[in-house]
PDB file of all heavy atoms in Angstrom:
ATOM      1  N   LEU Z  13      52.485 215.416  65.509  1.00  0.00           N
ATOM      2  CA  LEU Z  13      52.298 216.757  64.944  1.00  0.00           C
ATOM      3  C   LEU Z  13      50.867 216.953  64.457  1.00  0.00           C
ATOM      4  O   LEU Z  13      50.272 218.020  64.664  1.00  0.00           O
ATOM      5  CB  LEU Z  13      53.287 216.978  63.792  1.00  0.00           C
ATOM      6  CG  LEU Z  13      54.749 217.197  64.192  1.00  0.00           C
ATOM      7  CD1 LEU Z  13      55.646 217.140  62.955  1.00  0.00           C
ATOM      8  CD2 LEU Z  13      54.935 218.537  64.916  1.00  0.00           C
ATOM      9  N   GLU Z  14      50.307 215.954  63.826  1.00  0.00           N
ATOM     10  CA  GLU Z  14      48.927 216.071  63.361  1.00  0.00           C
ATOM     11  C   GLU Z  14      47.954 216.203  64.533  1.00  0.00           C
ATOM     12  O   GLU Z  14      46.939 216.887  64.435  1.00  0.00           O
ATOM     13  CB  GLU Z  14      48.566 214.884  62.488  1.00  0.00           C
ATOM     14  CG  GLU Z  14      49.285 214.879  61.145  1.00  0.00           C
ATOM     15  CD  GLU Z  14      48.563 214.083  60.084  1.00  0.00           C
ATOM     16  OE1 GLU Z  14      47.966 213.051  60.446  1.00  0.00           O
ATOM     17  OE2 GLU Z  14      48.609 214.497  58.909  1.00  0.00           O
ATOM     18  N   LYS Z  15      48.289 215.563  65.650  1.00  0.00           N
ATOM     19  CA  LYS Z  15      47.426 215.627  66.830  1.00  0.00           C
ATOM     20  C   LYS Z  15      47.583 216.941  67.583  1.00  0.00           C
ATOM     21  O   LYS Z  15      46.584 217.589  67.933  1.00  0.00           O
ATOM     22  CB  LYS Z  15      47.743 214.457  67.772  1.00  0.00           C
ATOM     23  CG  LYS Z  15      46.941 214.482  69.060  1.00  0.00           C
ATOM     24  CD  LYS Z  15      47.315 213.317  69.973  1.00  0.00           C
ATOM     25  CE  LYS Z  15      46.538 213.366  71.289  1.00  0.00           C
ATOM     26  NZ  LYS Z  15      46.918 212.254  72.199  1.00  0.00           N
ATOM     27  N   HIS Z  16      48.812 217.337  67.863  1.00  0.00           N
ATOM     28  CA  HIS Z  16      49.072 218.471  68.745  1.00  0.00           C
ATOM     29  C   HIS Z  16      49.269 219.799  68.023  1.00  0.00           C
ATOM     30  O   HIS Z  16      49.022 220.855  68.606  1.00  0.00           O
ATOM     31  CB  HIS Z  16      50.310 218.185  69.604  1.00  0.00           C
ATOM     32  CG  HIS Z  16      50.153 217.035  70.535  1.00  0.00           C
ATOM     33  ND1 HIS Z  16      49.417 217.101  71.692  1.00  0.00           N
ATOM     34  CD2 HIS Z  16      50.638 215.761  70.471  1.00  0.00           C
ATOM     35  CE1 HIS Z  16      49.447 215.932  72.315  1.00  0.00           C
ATOM     36  NE2 HIS Z  16      50.174 215.102  71.595  1.00  0.00           N
ATOM     37  N   SER Z  17      49.740 219.752  66.787  1.00  0.00           N
ATOM     38  CA  SER Z  17      50.041 220.983  66.028  1.00  0.00           C
ATOM     39  C   SER Z  17      49.444 220.876  64.627  1.00  0.00           C
ATOM     40  O   SER Z  17      50.161 220.947  63.622  1.00  0.00           O
ATOM     41  CB  SER Z  17      51.562 221.176  65.944  1.00  0.00           C
ATOM     42  OG  SER Z  17      52.175 220.987  67.204  1.00  0.00           O
ATOM     43  N   PRO Z  18      48.127 220.719  64.540  1.00  0.00           N
ATOM     44  CA  PRO Z  18      47.497 220.412  63.250  1.00  0.00           C
ATOM     45  C   PRO Z  18      47.607 221.503  62.202  1.00  0.00           C
ATOM     46  O   PRO Z  18      47.450 221.237  61.010  1.00  0.00           O
ATOM     47  CB  PRO Z  18      46.030 220.170  63.642  1.00  0.00           C
ATOM     48  CG  PRO Z  18      45.842 220.960  64.902  1.00  0.00           C
ATOM     49  CD  PRO Z  18      47.142 220.852  65.629  1.00  0.00           C
ATOM     50  N   ASN Z  19      47.889 222.736  62.624  1.00  0.00           N
ATOM     51  CA  ASN Z  19      47.971 223.844  61.664  1.00  0.00           C
ATOM     52  C   ASN Z  19      49.399 224.200  61.289  1.00  0.00           C
ATOM     53  O   ASN Z  19      49.628 225.217  60.615  1.00  0.00           O
ATOM     54  CB  ASN Z  19      47.265 225.073  62.250  1.00  0.00           C
ATOM     55  CG  ASN Z  19      45.782 224.835  62.477  1.00  0.00           C
ATOM     56  OD1 ASN Z  19      45.109 224.231  61.649  1.00  0.00           O
ATOM     57  ND2 ASN Z  19      45.287 225.297  63.616  1.00  0.00           N
ATOM     58  N   SER Z  20      50.356 223.401  61.708  1.00  0.00           N
ATOM     59  CA  SER Z  20      51.762 223.700  61.402  1.00  0.00           C
ATOM     60  C   SER Z  20      52.093 223.389  59.944  1.00  0.00           C
ATOM     61  O   SER Z  20      51.486 222.514  59.324  1.00  0.00           O
ATOM     62  CB  SER Z  20      52.691 222.903  62.322  1.00  0.00           C
ATOM     63  OG  SER Z  20      52.491 221.510  62.174  1.00  0.00           O
ATOM     64  N   THR Z  21      53.049 224.130  59.412  1.00  0.00           N
ATOM     65  CA  THR Z  21      53.576 223.898  58.073  1.00  0.00           C
ATOM     66  C   THR Z  21      54.819 223.030  58.197  1.00  0.00           C
ATOM     67  O   THR Z  21      55.674 223.296  59.041  1.00  0.00           O
ATOM     68  CB  THR Z  21      53.922 225.228  57.393  1.00  0.00           C
ATOM     69  OG1 THR Z  21      52.716 226.007  57.258  1.00  0.00           O
ATOM     70  CG2 THR Z  21      54.536 225.013  56.022  1.00  0.00           C
ATOM     71  N   TRP Z  22      54.944 222.007  57.359  1.00  0.00           N
ATOM     72  CA  TRP Z  22      56.050 221.051  57.458  1.00  0.00           C
ATOM     73  C   TRP Z  22      57.098 221.347  56.385  1.00  0.00           C
ATOM     74  O   TRP Z  22      56.786 221.342  55.190  1.00  0.00           O
ATOM     75  CB  TRP Z  22      55.547 219.620  57.279  1.00  0.00           C
ATOM     76  CG  TRP Z  22      54.616 219.143  58.361  1.00  0.00           C
ATOM     77  CD1 TRP Z  22      54.034 219.885  59.356  1.00  0.00           C
ATOM     78  CD2 TRP Z  22      54.148 217.806  58.546  1.00  0.00           C
ATOM     79  NE1 TRP Z  22      53.247 219.098  60.142  1.00  0.00           N
ATOM     80  CE2 TRP Z  22      53.292 217.824  59.679  1.00  0.00           C
ATOM     81  CE3 TRP Z  22      54.369 216.610  57.876  1.00  0.00           C
ATOM     82  CZ2 TRP Z  22      52.649 216.666  60.145  1.00  0.00           C
ATOM     83  CZ3 TRP Z  22      53.738 215.457  58.335  1.00  0.00           C
ATOM     84  CH2 TRP Z  22      52.894 215.486  59.465  1.00  0.00           C
ATOM     85  N   LEU Z  23      58.321 221.601  56.810  1.00  0.00           N
ATOM     86  CA  LEU Z  23      59.422 221.871  55.885  1.00  0.00           C
ATOM     87  C   LEU Z  23      60.387 220.693  55.874  1.00  0.00           C
ATOM     88  O   LEU Z  23      60.916 220.310  56.922  1.00  0.00           O
ATOM     89  CB  LEU Z  23      60.200 223.127  56.292  1.00  0.00           C
ATOM     90  CG  LEU Z  23      59.507 224.476  56.161  1.00  0.00           C
ATOM     91  CD1 LEU Z  23      58.639 224.766  57.378  1.00  0.00           C
ATOM     92  CD2 LEU Z  23      60.537 225.588  56.010  1.00  0.00           C
ATOM     93  N   ILE Z  24      60.630 220.118  54.725  1.00  0.00           N
ATOM     94  CA  ILE Z  24      61.630 219.056  54.578  1.00  0.00           C
ATOM     95  C   ILE Z  24      62.991 219.727  54.408  1.00  0.00           C
ATOM     96  O   ILE Z  24      63.206 220.502  53.480  1.00  0.00           O
ATOM     97  CB  ILE Z  24      61.313 218.163  53.367  1.00  0.00           C
ATOM     98  CG1 ILE Z  24      59.939 217.507  53.552  1.00  0.00           C
ATOM     99  CG2 ILE Z  24      62.394 217.096  53.199  1.00  0.00           C
ATOM    100  CD1 ILE Z  24      59.480 216.708  52.343  1.00  0.00           C
ATOM    101  N   GLU Z  25      63.922 219.425  55.326  1.00  0.00           N
ATOM    102  CA  GLU Z  25      65.206 220.129  55.353  1.00  0.00           C
ATOM    103  C   GLU Z  25      66.374 219.133  55.362  1.00  0.00           C
ATOM    104  O   GLU Z  25      67.233 219.173  56.243  1.00  0.00           O
ATOM    105  CB  GLU Z  25      65.274 221.054  56.574  1.00  0.00           C
ATOM    106  CG  GLU Z  25      66.369 222.110  56.466  1.00  0.00           C
ATOM    107  CD  GLU Z  25      66.466 222.974  57.703  1.00  0.00           C
ATOM    108  OE1 GLU Z  25      66.251 222.468  58.823  1.00  0.00           O
ATOM    109  OE2 GLU Z  25      66.769 224.160  57.546  1.00  0.00           O
ATOM    110  N   THR Z  26      66.402 218.269  54.365  1.00  0.00           N
ATOM    111  CA  THR Z  26      67.493 217.298  54.255  1.00  0.00           C
ATOM    112  C   THR Z  26      68.614 217.865  53.387  1.00  0.00           C
ATOM    113  O   THR Z  26      68.393 218.754  52.568  1.00  0.00           O
ATOM    114  CB  THR Z  26      66.980 215.981  53.644  1.00  0.00           C
ATOM    115  OG1 THR Z  26      66.316 216.272  52.400  1.00  0.00           O
ATOM    116  CG2 THR Z  26      65.982 215.306  54.577  1.00  0.00           C
ATOM    117  N   ASN Z  27      69.818 217.332  53.574  1.00  0.00           N
ATOM    118  CA  ASN Z  27      70.995 217.884  52.887  1.00  0.00           C
ATOM    119  C   ASN Z  27      71.036 217.582  51.399  1.00  0.00           C
ATOM    120  O   ASN Z  27      71.436 218.408  50.595  1.00  0.00           O
ATOM    121  CB  ASN Z  27      72.281 217.366  53.539  1.00  0.00           C
ATOM    122  CG  ASN Z  27      72.709 218.221  54.716  1.00  0.00           C
ATOM    123  OD1 ASN Z  27      72.333 219.389  54.810  1.00  0.00           O
ATOM    124  ND2 ASN Z  27      73.476 217.666  55.618  1.00  0.00           N
ATOM    125  N   SER Z  28      70.651 216.362  51.010  1.00  0.00           N
ATOM    126  CA  SER Z  28      70.785 215.964  49.602  1.00  0.00           C
ATOM    127  C   SER Z  28      69.431 215.912  48.911  1.00  0.00           C
ATOM    128  O   SER Z  28      68.392 215.693  49.547  1.00  0.00           O
ATOM    129  CB  SER Z  28      71.457 214.592  49.498  1.00  0.00           C
ATOM    130  OG  SER Z  28      70.562 213.562  49.884  1.00  0.00           O
ATOM    131  N   LEU Z  29      69.458 216.115  47.596  1.00  0.00           N
ATOM    132  CA  LEU Z  29      68.223 216.025  46.820  1.00  0.00           C
ATOM    133  C   LEU Z  29      67.638 214.622  46.878  1.00  0.00           C
ATOM    134  O   LEU Z  29      66.416 214.443  46.900  1.00  0.00           O
ATOM    135  CB  LEU Z  29      68.502 216.424  45.370  1.00  0.00           C
ATOM    136  CG  LEU Z  29      68.868 217.892  45.140  1.00  0.00           C
ATOM    137  CD1 LEU Z  29      69.305 218.102  43.704  1.00  0.00           C
ATOM    138  CD2 LEU Z  29      67.706 218.800  45.489  1.00  0.00           C
ATOM    139  N   GLU Z  30      68.513 213.624  46.916  1.00  0.00           N
ATOM    140  CA  GLU Z  30      68.047 212.237  47.014  1.00  0.00           C
ATOM    141  C   GLU Z  30      67.284 212.020  48.316  1.00  0.00           C
ATOM    142  O   GLU Z  30      66.204 211.411  48.322  1.00  0.00           O
ATOM    143  CB  GLU Z  30      69.241 211.280  46.949  1.00  0.00           C
ATOM    144  CG  GLU Z  30      68.847 209.811  47.038  1.00  0.00           C
ATOM    145  CD  GLU Z  30      70.043 208.883  47.032  1.00  0.00           C
ATOM    146  OE1 GLU Z  30      71.191 209.380  46.970  1.00  0.00           O
ATOM    147  OE2 GLU Z  30      69.832 207.655  47.076  1.00  0.00           O
ATOM    148  N   ASP Z  31      67.830 212.543  49.424  1.00  0.00           N
ATOM    149  CA  ASP Z  31      67.149 212.394  50.713  1.00  0.00           C
ATOM    150  C   ASP Z  31      65.852 213.198  50.751  1.00  0.00           C
ATOM    151  O   ASP Z  31      64.878 212.779  51.386  1.00  0.00           O
ATOM    152  CB  ASP Z  31      68.070 212.843  51.852  1.00  0.00           C
ATOM    153  CG  ASP Z  31      69.103 211.788  52.211  1.00  0.00           C
ATOM    154  OD1 ASP Z  31      69.104 210.711  51.587  1.00  0.00           O
ATOM    155  OD2 ASP Z  31      69.919 212.050  53.122  1.00  0.00           O
ATOM    156  N   THR Z  32      65.844 214.339  50.083  1.00  0.00           N
ATOM    157  CA  THR Z  32      64.618 215.139  50.016  1.00  0.00           C
ATOM    158  C   THR Z  32      63.516 214.376  49.314  1.00  0.00           C
ATOM    159  O   THR Z  32      62.379 214.291  49.797  1.00  0.00           O
ATOM    160  CB  THR Z  32      64.881 216.468  49.282  1.00  0.00           C
ATOM    161  OG1 THR Z  32      65.840 217.230  50.013  1.00  0.00           O
ATOM    162  CG2 THR Z  32      63.600 217.277  49.147  1.00  0.00           C
ATOM    163  N   GLU Z  33      63.851 213.773  48.176  1.00  0.00           N
ATOM    164  CA  GLU Z  33      62.817 213.035  47.429  1.00  0.00           C
ATOM    165  C   GLU Z  33      62.379 211.781  48.178  1.00  0.00           C
ATOM    166  O   GLU Z  33      61.197 211.435  48.164  1.00  0.00           O
ATOM    167  CB  GLU Z  33      63.311 212.696  46.029  1.00  0.00           C
ATOM    168  CG  GLU Z  33      62.207 212.195  45.121  1.00  0.00           C
ATOM    169  CD  GLU Z  33      62.443 212.482  43.655  1.00  0.00           C
ATOM    170  OE1 GLU Z  33      63.603 212.708  43.255  1.00  0.00           O
ATOM    171  OE2 GLU Z  33      61.450 212.494  42.893  1.00  0.00           O
ATOM    172  N   LYS Z  34      63.315 211.114  48.846  1.00  0.00           N
ATOM    173  CA  LYS Z  34      62.949 209.959  49.679  1.00  0.00           C
ATOM    174  C   LYS Z  34      61.930 210.366  50.746  1.00  0.00           C
ATOM    175  O   LYS Z  34      60.977 209.644  51.035  1.00  0.00           O
ATOM    176  CB  LYS Z  34      64.188 209.386  50.363  1.00  0.00           C
ATOM    177  CG  LYS Z  34      65.092 208.520  49.513  1.00  0.00           C
ATOM    178  CD  LYS Z  34      66.243 208.010  50.382  1.00  0.00           C
ATOM    179  CE  LYS Z  34      67.261 207.220  49.581  1.00  0.00           C
ATOM    180  NZ  LYS Z  34      68.398 206.780  50.445  1.00  0.00           N
ATOM    181  N   SER Z  35      62.156 211.532  51.325  1.00  0.00           N
ATOM    182  CA  SER Z  35      61.291 212.004  52.402  1.00  0.00           C
ATOM    183  C   SER Z  35      59.918 212.409  51.872  1.00  0.00           C
ATOM    184  O   SER Z  35      58.892 212.163  52.528  1.00  0.00           O
ATOM    185  CB  SER Z  35      61.963 213.175  53.124  1.00  0.00           C
ATOM    186  OG  SER Z  35      63.202 212.765  53.681  1.00  0.00           O
ATOM    187  N   ILE Z  36      59.876 213.019  50.688  1.00  0.00           N
ATOM    188  CA  ILE Z  36      58.591 213.322  50.059  1.00  0.00           C
ATOM    189  C   ILE Z  36      57.805 212.039  49.822  1.00  0.00           C
ATOM    190  O   ILE Z  36      56.608 211.943  50.138  1.00  0.00           O
ATOM    191  CB  ILE Z  36      58.795 214.064  48.721  1.00  0.00           C
ATOM    192  CG1 ILE Z  36      59.442 215.431  48.940  1.00  0.00           C
ATOM    193  CG2 ILE Z  36      57.454 214.232  47.986  1.00  0.00           C
ATOM    194  CD1 ILE Z  36      59.903 216.108  47.651  1.00  0.00           C
ATOM    195  N   GLN Z  37      58.478 211.046  49.274  1.00  0.00           N
ATOM    196  CA  GLN Z  37      57.833 209.767  48.987  1.00  0.00           C
ATOM    197  C   GLN Z  37      57.328 209.102  50.265  1.00  0.00           C
ATOM    198  O   GLN Z  37      56.243 208.512  50.293  1.00  0.00           O
ATOM    199  CB  GLN Z  37      58.804 208.838  48.251  1.00  0.00           C
ATOM    200  CG  GLN Z  37      59.144 209.262  46.835  1.00  0.00           C
ATOM    201  CD  GLN Z  37      57.975 209.101  45.881  1.00  0.00           C
ATOM    202  OE1 GLN Z  37      56.990 208.418  46.167  1.00  0.00           O
ATOM    203  NE2 GLN Z  37      58.079 209.723  44.707  1.00  0.00           N
ATOM    204  N   TRP Z  38      58.118 209.213  51.347  1.00  0.00           N
ATOM    205  CA  TRP Z  38      57.691 208.625  52.625  1.00  0.00           C
ATOM    206  C   TRP Z  38      56.417 209.292  53.123  1.00  0.00           C
ATOM    207  O   TRP Z  38      55.478 208.616  53.570  1.00  0.00           O
ATOM    208  CB  TRP Z  38      58.803 208.774  53.670  1.00  0.00           C
ATOM    209  CG  TRP Z  38      58.489 208.070  54.965  1.00  0.00           C
ATOM    210  CD1 TRP Z  38      58.795 206.795  55.308  1.00  0.00           C
ATOM    211  CD2 TRP Z  38      57.763 208.631  56.082  1.00  0.00           C
ATOM    212  NE1 TRP Z  38      58.314 206.510  56.572  1.00  0.00           N
ATOM    213  CE2 TRP Z  38      57.686 207.601  57.066  1.00  0.00           C
ATOM    214  CE3 TRP Z  38      57.202 209.863  56.337  1.00  0.00           C
ATOM    215  CZ2 TRP Z  38      57.044 207.814  58.302  1.00  0.00           C
ATOM    216  CZ3 TRP Z  38      56.548 210.066  57.560  1.00  0.00           C
ATOM    217  CH2 TRP Z  38      56.491 209.050  58.507  1.00  0.00           C
ATOM    218  N   LEU Z  39      56.350 210.614  53.034  1.00  0.00           N
ATOM    219  CA  LEU Z  39      55.129 211.322  53.440  1.00  0.00           C
ATOM    220  C   LEU Z  39      53.933 210.898  52.598  1.00  0.00           C
ATOM    221  O   LEU Z  39      52.832 210.692  53.132  1.00  0.00           O
ATOM    222  CB  LEU Z  39      55.339 212.832  53.318  1.00  0.00           C
ATOM    223  CG  LEU Z  39      56.275 213.497  54.327  1.00  0.00           C
ATOM    224  CD1 LEU Z  39      56.470 214.970  53.977  1.00  0.00           C
ATOM    225  CD2 LEU Z  39      55.770 213.356  55.757  1.00  0.00           C
ATOM    226  N   MET Z  40      54.158 210.739  51.306  1.00  0.00           N
ATOM    227  CA  MET Z  40      53.063 210.332  50.418  1.00  0.00           C
ATOM    228  C   MET Z  40      52.613 208.905  50.715  1.00  0.00           C
ATOM    229  O   MET Z  40      51.415 208.620  50.820  1.00  0.00           O
ATOM    230  CB  MET Z  40      53.503 210.466  48.961  1.00  0.00           C
ATOM    231  CG  MET Z  40      53.771 211.897  48.519  1.00  0.00           C
ATOM    232  SD  MET Z  40      54.452 212.024  46.833  1.00  0.00           S
ATOM    233  CE  MET Z  40      53.019 211.500  45.883  1.00  0.00           C
ATOM    234  N   ASN Z  41      53.573 208.013  50.877  1.00  0.00           N
ATOM    235  CA  ASN Z  41      53.252 206.605  51.118  1.00  0.00           C
ATOM    236  C   ASN Z  41      52.520 206.383  52.433  1.00  0.00           C
ATOM    237  O   ASN Z  41      51.759 205.422  52.575  1.00  0.00           O
ATOM    238  CB  ASN Z  41      54.519 205.749  51.093  1.00  0.00           C
ATOM    239  CG  ASN Z  41      55.157 205.670  49.715  1.00  0.00           C
ATOM    240  OD1 ASN Z  41      54.496 205.918  48.702  1.00  0.00           O
ATOM    241  ND2 ASN Z  41      56.441 205.353  49.658  1.00  0.00           N
ATOM    242  N   ASN Z  42      52.783 207.278  53.391  1.00  0.00           N
ATOM    243  CA  ASN Z  42      52.150 207.140  54.701  1.00  0.00           C
ATOM    244  C   ASN Z  42      50.985 208.118  54.908  1.00  0.00           C
ATOM    245  O   ASN Z  42      50.524 208.317  56.033  1.00  0.00           O
ATOM    246  CB  ASN Z  42      53.194 207.325  55.799  1.00  0.00           C
ATOM    247  CG  ASN Z  42      54.173 206.166  55.868  1.00  0.00           C
ATOM    248  OD1 ASN Z  42      53.829 205.093  56.369  1.00  0.00           O
ATOM    249  ND2 ASN Z  42      55.367 206.355  55.341  1.00  0.00           N
TER     250      ASN Z  42
END
């Protein structure tokens, strides 16, 4: 996505709040 669609907006769309926060942390860690 960073290579091919660099101007896209990324929406985290997980079902649970726990999974949402896990995904935020994964983006930050990487």
Side-chain angles (χ1 to χ4, degrees):
L13 287 169
E14 291 203 324
K15 177 181 178 181
H16 296 285
S17 313
N19 297 319
S20 60
T21 298
W22 295 10
L23 291 84
I24 300 175
E25 197 183 35
T26 54
N27 274 337
S28 74
L29 293 172
E30 180 182 1
D31 281 0
T32 298
E33 192 152 21
K34 282 182 185 178
S35 300
I36 296 169
Q37 291 290 344
W38 186 91
L39 289 175
M40 294 174 69
N41 293 339
N42 290 284

